[in-house]
Amino acid sequence: MDGLVTAVIQDYTSGRVLMVGFMNEEAFRKTVETGFATFFSRSRNKLWLKGESSGHRLVVKEISTDCDRDALLIRVEALGPGVCHEGYLSCFARRLENGEWVIREARAYDPETVYRSKQ
Amino acid sequence: MDGLVTAVIQDYTSGRVLMVGFMNEEAFRKTVETGFATFFSRSRNKLWLKGESSGHRLVVKEISTDCDRDALLIRVEALGPGVCHEGYLSCFARRLENGEWVIREARAYDPETVYRSKQ
């Protein structure tokens, strides 16, 4: 995938999977060096420190890789109320129920308030 | 990614992330219809029912998608002792410790025995 690996972000305490991002070598190095998860944004084509706008940074607790070495599992302490830019605790808020994607949880924060003056 | 989405496989009971695969639309449909996780193999360019060789199938318990709709989180009951073709419970057996990837857990099964007559 053009030098990108999949990075699965999991809450260290609850075990909940929070999001999936992509890292290139530089993003991975930044993540290890700074202790904050840093991704490569495919849409913006640049490095992206998670939480640089919202303050909701991801503090790295443990990094694992898989047998193919094309995916990372990063267990984190998530700063702030939620990881998803839509206001949810996890980006995986939509569950499949009888063929439809349904959200069964409340927003953890109001994204309008958090992002309004920052983007 | 050429119509593929990332599929994160998580153990429903323990919360451990077991592997990451890819699904196209057909693999996703098969997964939903059969209740067994089915991936698209990029190397073999075809559908791949996880466990078709080893018997270690993944029974789907819950499917979620993320806000970008380009990743799936599939919580499963994993049949058999381990998911990784190298014999480990999880494909994410390698942890980063002081700049090196280290395996700190024992194999859950012997892949030679499981795969010998089947591949």
Side-chain angles (χ1 to χ4, degrees), chain B residues 12 26-27 34 45 51 64 75-76 82 89 97 104 107 119:
Chain B
Y12 189 77
E26 192 185 355
T34 65
N45 201 40
S64 308
R75 296 173 69 201
V76 302
L89 179 64
E97 292 184 10
R104 292 276 182 224
R107 282 197 164 87
Q119 279 191 334

Side-chain angles (χ1 to χ4, degrees), chain B:
Chain B
M1 295 197 294
D2 299 328
L4 297 182
V5 296
T6 305
V8 179
I9 304 298
Q10 182 180 32
D11 188 283
Y12 189 77
T13 306
S14 71
R16 185 152 183 199
V17 174
L18 300 175
M19 60 173 287
V20 167
F22 295 92
M23 291 186 183
N24 60 5
E25 197 174 329
E26 192 185 355
F28 176 69
R29 208 180 58 237
K30 285 265 185 195
T31 298
V32 173
E33 285 173 4
T34 65
F36 294 107
T38 304
F39 301 97
F40 180 79
S41 168
R42 294 175 298 168
S43 55
R44 289 179 284 169
N45 201 40
K46 64 170 191 171
L47 290 196
W48 161 54
L49 168 67
K50 171 68 183 167
E52 65 189 357
S53 300
S54 64
H56 304 169
R57 296 193 183 196
L58 303 172
V59 181
V60 175
K61 294 292 199 179
E62 186 184 276
I63 302 180
S64 308
T65 191
D66 71 348
C67 43
D68 298 329
R69 311 289 179 104
D70 62 1
L72 296 165
L73 172 62
I74 303 184
R75 296 173 69 201
V76 302
E77 178 193 350
L79 304 183
V83 159
C84 182
H85 74 287
E86 292 185 353
Y88 297 101
L89 179 64
S90 162
C91 290
F92 290 96
R94 287 173 181 76
R95 287 188 200 174
L96 191 63
E97 292 184 10
N98 302 314
E100 297 197 0
W101 298 108
V102 181
I103 297 182
R104 292 276 182 224
E105 61 188 79
R107 282 197 164 87
Y109 69 94
D110 177 5
E112 293 260 332
T113 309
V114 169
Y115 290 102
R116 192 190 303 148
S117 59
K118 294 170 180 167
Q119 279 191 334

Side-chain angles (χ1 to χ4, degrees), chain A residues 62-104:
Chain A
E62 186 185 276
I63 302 179
S64 308
T65 191
D66 71 348
C67 42
D68 298 330
R69 312 289 180 103
D70 60 3
L72 296 164
L73 172 62
I74 303 184
R75 296 172 69 199
V76 303
E77 178 192 351
L79 304 183
V83 160
C84 183
H85 74 287
E86 292 184 353
Y88 297 100
L89 178 63
S90 162
C91 290
F92 291 95
R94 287 172 182 78
R95 287 188 199 172
L96 191 62
E97 293 185 9
N98 303 314
E100 297 196 1
W101 298 108
V102 181
I103 297 182
R104 293 275 182 223

